[in-house]
Amino acid sequence: MAPSLSELQQQLLGTFLEESYEGLDNLESGLLGLESSEDGSVAINDIFRAAHSLKGGAATFGFAGLTELAHEMETVLDDVRAGKRVVTPALSSLLLQGVDGLRALLADVRQGLPADATAFAALISQLRAVSKQPKHTDAPVTSKSTVAATRAAPGTWHIKLKAAASILSSGNEPLRLFRELGSLGQLQVSCDATDVPPLSTLEPETCYLSWAMTVSGNITRGQIEDVFAWVADECQLDISSSATTKESDPSAASAAPVRVESGARNAEEPLESIRVSVGKVDQLMNMVGELVITQSMLGELEDDGPIDRARLARIREGLSLLARNTRSLQDSVMRLRSIPVSIVFARFPRLVRDTSQSLNKKVDLRLTGQTTEVDKTVLEKLSDPLVHLVRNSLDHGVEGPQERLAAGKPESGTIELRAYHRGGDIVVEVEDDGRGLSRERILDKARRVGLVADDADLDDNAVYDLIFAPGFSTAESVTDLSGRGVGMDVVRKNIRTLGGDVSVTTKPGKGTKVCLRVPLTLAIIDGQLVRLGDYHYVVPLLSIVESIQVDPKFVMRVDGRIPAYRLRDEVVRMVDLAKVLAIPVAKNEASDRLMVVVESDGEKIGLLVDELLAQQQVVVKSLETNFDHVDGVSGATVLGDGGIAFILDIVVLGRLSRRRSALGLVAA
């Protein structure tokens, strides 16, 4: 049954909002790139197109406020594109304010409120005033299209354009199309007005015209198609060539991705749609096909006949095939949910720009590993902690220009955001080259507020760990960015909710690095099931190096107290899980135990357990959501027999065992 009009309108509105937010992200990043570009190589056409498309969509839905603000931004950007206006820091700031205004109006639309631009009247007036200022004739900004044109063969293109009657009411202006075509080469235009009705029946917002054009020069077909890209659904277009040599278009389009739609999103709310390649969808379909074949195979065995050896063998074969296909299907779905961290990283150039300007600091932002993929849900929950850490680096970490010069550093500071995979985790680091953390200042404040006893002797890691205490802050005054003691404790809490952890390393005068470690997915992991006393635990399979039976002759003690095991050519620290987790067990001798060798923070450690059970996939359930945080445990899962097994956090277990060793407590 066809959807009702209201349902259809909701679907169209959702698509409009989704594409508008995406366009705003592109517009914002493009403006930041244009501002920092020294050679004018940014594709100004893409920036202009983003504003133009948003205006056209808003006009289609009748959002007058959105249309008005987008139109004024488009007018200014059109001057920039034509080389009639230079992007100064002041103009860039004004246009970025326009982006913020459009985002706020879209948020009103999403909530069902009227998109009233009254609050942005002053901004609209400023943009309008800029567009009326005298223009100059500086060389136009080089775009990707004009670069491509220098590699195209000379010739003449013939274009016939029949516009839809509604093209004007949707905010599209044919005059701008002609102007852009004219920037590519020598243009001639003839208009066909035979369909224009008598004045008494003419509708002012209806387009009755069609045009025939010729444009000559070193132009590719792709450049011409780019000009008409945003009106492709509102016109009949015919393009033919009389090039003197074979056309060569270097900008061949790649296979278009498939969009999976599920509604609109606000820039400050969770992502509600993802883009996936056709290849991923094809692979998913193949897996579903394999499952159907397996189901048919097992279906033939449903009769009530006797289960003889041959039939039992076929059942086992079918179940094995089912398990294999289910695993492949799960892997395909997980890849479908994986999205690059660039979606979150994209917000930080604007944040660093605005915040550094307000603090009178010069800061360069470097982004590394933007193509690293992670589960959509995990990535969404990383956003807020990263914002706080970057703002901390800007406020507390990076010094002002004069202080940096006095310290022998470059005037501009650097903040680097990097992401990479490590085992079954994703690691995201925020590192600055600022002043670093002050051990004495942190320890003094902790003693004054009663977090640490006056005579306590803490190592550096324990001191720096104090910044995660609730309410702790070394800031001398409260500002818009910091000083309220709310932040780092929330960062750690949010990351631990994901089953991850946070660590800090710093060098006074050199900088600070905060490392966030979270699982790639919150759904399913491969694990080794082990028994410890009466309890079952899951060791993530990606963390395991090997499992061995403890041989007493290779057991030793480092410094006379720390149990270790000589494993071929290296010494592995032995960790008694029962003691670290305070679990009673029947076997106390290490030589009677099995040892699972795992990698934790780049170090191999041996976990002592009573028994190795099966390897299996487990569905991860958050322990904090359903119970409370437990050090060394990242979550829980329900086993096939209905029992509960706890999922071990290998990195935290390694740190707990090292802390026990530092305090003089044996680990095994």
Side-chain angles (χ1 to χ4, degrees), residues 340-346 348-349 364-373 379 386 414-421 426-431:
V341 297
S342 59
I343 292 177
V344 167
F345 278 13
F348 290 102
D364 296 324
L365 176 66
R366 297 176 183 172
L367 303 176
T368 306
Q370 295 190 73
T371 58
T372 304
E373 291 194 342
L379 189 61
L386 285 176
T414 300
I415 294 176
E416 183 168 359
L417 262 176
R418 66 177 72 92
Y420 56 91
H421 290 149
I426 180 175
V427 177
V428 182
E429 296 174 342
V430 180
E431 184 172 10

Side-chain angles (χ1 to χ4, degrees), residues 28-46:
E28 183 177 80
S29 61
L31 287 171
L32 292 171
L34 190 65
E35 181 184 52
S36 60
S37 175
E38 295 180 358
D39 60 359
S41 60
V42 175
I44 184 64
N45 282 339
D46 293 340

Side-chain angles (χ1 to χ4, degrees), residues 86-160:
V86 173
V87 177
T88 63
L91 179 58
S92 180
S93 296
L94 186 64
L95 290 169
L96 288 171
Q97 290 178 39
V99 171
D100 294 339
L102 291 172
R103 193 169 276 130
L105 291 172
L106 285 172
D108 288 344
V109 171
R110 192 177 191 279
Q111 297 171 19
L113 303 174
D116 188 359
T118 303
F120 303 101
L123 175 61
I124 291 173
S125 297
Q126 285 180 281
L127 289 167
R128 194 169 289 149
V130 168
S131 64
K132 293 180 180 179
Q133 290 174 356
K135 301 176 178 62
H136 56 76
T137 56
D138 287 352
V141 177
T142 303
S143 70
K144 292 179 180 176
S145 294
T146 57
V147 170
T150 63
R151 300 194 295 267
T156 300
W157 292 89
H158 305 279
I159 306 162
K160 294 181 180 179

Side-chain angles (χ1 to χ4, degrees), residues 563 573-578 580 595 605-609 653-654 657 667-668:
R573 187 160 50 86
M574 299 174 71
V575 176
D576 190 339
L577 278 178
V580 175
M595 188 169 74
I605 60 175
L607 306 179
L608 294 177
V609 301
L653 282 174
S657 64

Side-chain angles (χ1 to χ4, degrees), residues 452-505:
V452 176
D454 291 341
D455 58 349
D457 184 18
L458 303 180
D459 62 17
D460 288 347
N461 289 333
V463 171
Y464 297 139
D465 199 58
L466 291 171
I467 66 174
F468 295 103
F472 186 84
S473 174
T474 58
E476 297 178 355
S477 60
V478 175
T479 68
D480 291 340
L481 294 178
S482 61
R484 294 180 174 83
V486 178
M488 293 304 287
D489 61 319
V490 177
V491 168
R492 171 169 280 182
K493 180 180 179 181
N494 289 347
I495 296 302
R496 282 181 168 173
T497 300
L498 293 172
D501 198 30
V502 186
S503 61
V504 176
T505 56

